[in-house]
Amino acid sequence: MSKRSKISFLIGMAVVLLFVMSGCGSKEKTADVKPTETAKSSPANSANPANASAKPKEPAPESKLSEISNFMTSSIWNDGFVNVGFYTSRGTGSTGQTLDMDFTMERLGKAMEKKAGYDTYIQGLDAKYDNVKQVWAKLSKETDNLYKQLKENTPKANDKNYKFDTGLFEQYSDAFRDDVRALNKKQ
């Protein structure tokens, strides 16, 4: 290989290396761009300034109602009421684990605060959701009654005399869940 061929080869390799390096460098820079920066500079937002300051879209009522139904099952029932029944009869949580009733009551209190926001949301729904609203009214009232009982008379472990009847709660909760599922199937 002649000297001139070697120099041409090296220059060619240098050019290829520069292209590769510039490509890698731009990928690193785009990876560092935050989604908010990308959204602000997107063509859709620059063409319509109203989009740049628009509020996030509220979920459809059916989606929000599903969230509420899941919350009632998880935070109120699973983490709260069902554990109380097991605690008073067996001295443990529903899965046999040690249960700190004070902590359970604290978490249930926070869940009840969140439920109050859901009460307001559901009351504000239009007439299309009247059936769900009626069931929710019963479920919400029974939830409040059971929580009030727990606050006024906190259960003790293995207290066979403690009466904590969740039958109505379960009935209303099942009906609420079923009605929400039916609404979601109609979508």
Side-chain angles (χ1 to χ4, degrees):
M1 195 185 244
S2 72
K3 189 174 186 179
R4 184 174 239 166
S5 296
K6 285 182 185 178
I7 291 174
S8 295
F9 176 75
L10 289 175
I11 290 174
M13 290 301 289
V15 169
V16 169
L17 185 59
L18 282 173
F19 281 121
V20 170
M21 296 282 288
S22 67
C24 291
S26 68
K27 287 180 186 172
E28 289 175 15
K29 288 181 184 176
T30 57
D32 291 340
V33 175
K34 294 179 178 126
T36 54
E37 292 171 2
T38 305
K40 287 178 186 174
S41 64
S42 73
N45 287 335
S46 58
N48 185 356
N51 287 346
S53 62
K55 292 181 183 178
K57 191 174 183 181
E58 286 290 319
E62 290 79 6
S63 175
K64 187 73 170 181
L65 289 168
S66 291
E67 172 189 318
I68 294 169
S69 179
N70 291 337
F71 162 80
M72 291 301 288
T73 299
S74 176
S75 298
I76 302 293
W77 177 250
N78 291 344
D79 296 341
F81 295 167
V82 77
N83 279 326
V84 170
F86 278 88
Y87 186 71
T88 58
S89 66
R90 297 182 187 168
T92 66
S94 61
T95 58
Q97 81 282 13
T98 303
L99 185 72
D100 178 342
M101 185 50 69
D102 292 332
F103 181 73
T104 299
M105 289 299 297
E106 179 183 313
R107 300 300 289 187
L108 193 53
K110 289 179 181 179
M112 292 300 290
E113 290 173 10
K114 189 171 183 177
K115 185 192 83 60
Y118 289 147
D119 287 337
T120 302
Y121 176 82
I122 290 175
Q123 289 170 2
L125 292 174
D126 63 36
K128 173 184 175 185
Y129 303 97
D130 280 351
N131 189 45
V132 171
K133 290 166 69 171
Q134 289 171 353
V135 175
W136 176 260
K138 290 177 176 289
L139 176 58
S140 181
K141 183 179 178 186
E142 185 61 18
T143 303
D144 292 343
N145 290 340
L146 290 170
Y147 180 64
K148 180 181 177 187
Q149 176 187 341
L150 292 174
K151 281 181 62 176
E152 291 174 354
N153 185 12
T154 304
K156 308 281 186 272
N158 299 308
D159 183 358
K160 307 287 187 216
N161 294 321
Y162 193 87
K163 300 294 180 217
F164 191 66
D165 184 0
T166 60
L168 289 176
F169 175 88
E170 291 177 69
Q171 179 183 9
Y172 301 148
S173 183
D174 289 347
F176 182 74
R177 183 187 59 243
D178 292 345
D179 288 353
V180 169
R181 284 181 181 165
L183 279 172
N184 281 305
K185 285 182 181 179
K186 290 179 183 178
Q187 275 189 325

